[in-house]
């Protein structure tokens, strides 16, 4: 099937109902959410190369977007493969520990009161590399995600009011309840690729090209290939491709390729999927004999210093502003003069942080740019932060304009 380009009316229709403010925020959220998901809890997302070129009726981009919006898959089971390549430096696993510590959840501080089965600590391992997961869902109250590791398995199960995490390697169990304020797995991370696609579609307006680029087969199912591209230069987002199941309208595969080229930042797709009702026993869980059980609702939070740091960050984010237009949107806030520690003032920490970034100068003064293949951030020496899915030059330009 030949590619079908969306015209301006199609693009505008896809964005109908979204306020300007929501669109601006969405452009910042899309890449950051993808990074955060990859770094913390990918969830029930898919990843595998598609195959075949099925002959399907032609559809417009607008029709395919509407099909995704109408999709309401409640039951599924399958196997998922996800590859994440943010271009982060190899810190020997330290990056996962840092992400875990930033979460402030039980076990995040590595103390004795934590649990290796706590999802806020465990699923940060998905920050890089390729992983295989088994997923299942039966409505909003029953989901299961299992991360397959070398000779071990980690499972996150939501069954009614109960949320269980189990790490077979350490034989530890984490338990919480909906009444205790616990998020179910589908809320801690995207429940399906549809969640990724929904975020991407929120960013669609006249700065975006939306097309239907042929067909594919994913996990043995016929699918349309929806392609989303920024029309502006300066964005690190190159192409977002979503394989949409022709029958159910559910996204089966999500791929985000950076504008710099090379491997995808996130390539996620079902290798096998069924929309039949999973067996009820799939969601049953009883702590194994001898397992250490940690009750999440009773577990102390991170140390006081982490709570204070989190409070300071929350206060900083109260002043969050969004500048720029389209896919070049940048989020900025002022930390109140708290820039990065210098090598002399911050000792080893200052030198370490400086080695990970690139020193830059401009009309704004000087600062450090920290880069991934998708999201970049500029922290000025006087404590201002600029971040977004934009190039280094775009960040410097934004900082200069703010002077």
């Amino acid at each position: 099937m030949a590619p079908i380009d969306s015209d301006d009316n199609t693009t505008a229709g896809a964005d109908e109902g979204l306020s300007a403010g929501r669109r601006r925020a969405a452009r910042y959220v899309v890449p950051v959410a993808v990074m955060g998901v990859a770094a913390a809890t990918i969830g029930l997302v898919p990843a595998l190369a598609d195959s075949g070129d099925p002959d399907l009726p032609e559809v417009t981009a607008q029709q395919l977007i509407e099909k995704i919006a109408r999709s309401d898959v409640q039951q599924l089971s399958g196997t998922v493969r996800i590859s994440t390549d943010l271009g982060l430096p190899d810190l020997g696993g330290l990056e996962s520990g840092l992400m875990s510590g930033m979460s402030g959840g039980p076990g995040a501080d590595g103390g004795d009161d934590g649990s290796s089965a706590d999802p806020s600590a465990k699923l940060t391992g998905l920050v890089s590399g390729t992983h295989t997961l088994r997923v299942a869902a039966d409505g909003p109250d029953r989901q299961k995600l299992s991360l397959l590791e070398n000779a071990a398995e980690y499972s996150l199960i939501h069954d009614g009011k109960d949320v269980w995490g189990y790490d077979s390697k350490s034989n530890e169990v984490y338990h919480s309840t909906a009444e205790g304020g616990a998020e179910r797995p589908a809320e801690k991370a995207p429940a399906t690729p549809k969640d990724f696609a929904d975020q991407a579609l929120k960013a669609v307006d006249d700065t975006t090209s939306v097309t239907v680029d042929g067909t594919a087969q994913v996990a043995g199912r016929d699918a349309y290939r929806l392609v989303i591209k920024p029309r502006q230069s300066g964005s690190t987002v190159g192409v977002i491709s979503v394989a949409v199941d022709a029958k159910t309208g559910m996204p089966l595969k999500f791929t985000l390729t950076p504008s710099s080229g090379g491997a995808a930042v996130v390539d996620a797709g079902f290798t096998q999927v069924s929309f039949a009702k999973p067996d009820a026993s799939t969601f049953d869980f009883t702590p194994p004999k001898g397992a250490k059980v940690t009750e999440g609702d009773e577990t102390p939070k991170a140390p006081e210093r982490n709570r204070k740091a989190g409070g300071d960050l929350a206060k900083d984010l109260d002043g969050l502003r969004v500048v720029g237009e389209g896919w070049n949107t940048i989020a900025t806030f002022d930390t109140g003069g708290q820039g990065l520690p210098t090598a002399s003032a911050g000792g080893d920490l200052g030198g370490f942080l400086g080695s990970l970034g690139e020193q830059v100068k401009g009309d704004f003064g000087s600062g450090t740019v920290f880069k991934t293949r998708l999201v970049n951030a500029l922290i000025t020496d006087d404590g201002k932060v600029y971040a977004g899915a934009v190039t280094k030059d775009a960040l410097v330009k934004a900082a200069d304009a703010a002077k």
Side-chain angles (χ1 to χ4, degrees), residues 88-262:
L88 296 172
D90 183 3
L91 304 179
L94 178 60
E95 66 274 21
S96 295
L98 290 174
M99 293 292 182
S100 175
M102 289 170 63
S103 73
D109 62 335
D112 293 337
D113 291 328
S115 170
S116 67
D118 172 45
S120 66
K122 188 65 179 179
L123 294 181
T124 53
L126 297 175
V127 67
S128 63
T130 299
H131 304 271
T132 300
L133 305 94
R134 286 200 296 261
V135 299
D138 184 10
D141 295 326
R142 294 179 125 187
Q143 300 98 29
K144 181 176 182 179
L145 177 154
S146 294
L147 172 61
L148 308 183
E149 302 172 314
N150 292 332
E153 181 175 319
Y154 173 76
S155 294
L156 182 61
I157 304 132
H158 170 227
D159 185 11
K161 68 176 184 178
D162 293 304
V163 177
W164 298 94
Y166 176 59
D167 182 7
S168 68
K169 184 176 182 179
S170 63
N171 198 28
E172 292 191 27
V173 174
Y174 175 84
H175 175 248
S176 193
T177 64
E179 285 80 357
E183 296 173 309
R184 45 189 183 86
E187 291 169 341
K188 297 184 77 69
T192 70
K194 175 177 168 59
D195 297 327
F196 274 121
D198 286 346
Q199 289 297 322
L201 291 174
K202 288 178 183 178
V204 170
D205 69 356
D206 58 3
T207 68
T208 313
S209 167
V210 185
T211 63
V212 179
D213 187 14
T215 63
Q217 274 203 336
V218 178
R221 296 187 64 88
D222 293 347
Y224 293 99
R225 188 183 290 110
L226 184 70
V227 175
I228 301 170
K229 296 180 182 179
R231 285 179 171 152
Q232 300 167 297
S233 61
S235 173
T236 56
V237 177
V239 179
I240 295 172
S241 177
V242 183
V244 183
D245 185 67
K247 184 174 181 180
T248 67
M250 191 186 91
L252 299 173
K253 179 178 168 72
F254 178 94
T255 304
L256 191 154
T257 304
S259 58
S260 59

Side-chain angles (χ1 to χ4, degrees), residues 38-65:
T41 51
I42 296 289
L44 314 183
V45 225
L48 187 71
D50 50 46
S51 61
D53 188 18
D55 185 14
L56 297 173
E58 291 191 354
V59 296
T60 65
Q62 175 64 24
Q63 289 171 333
L64 193 52
I65 290 171

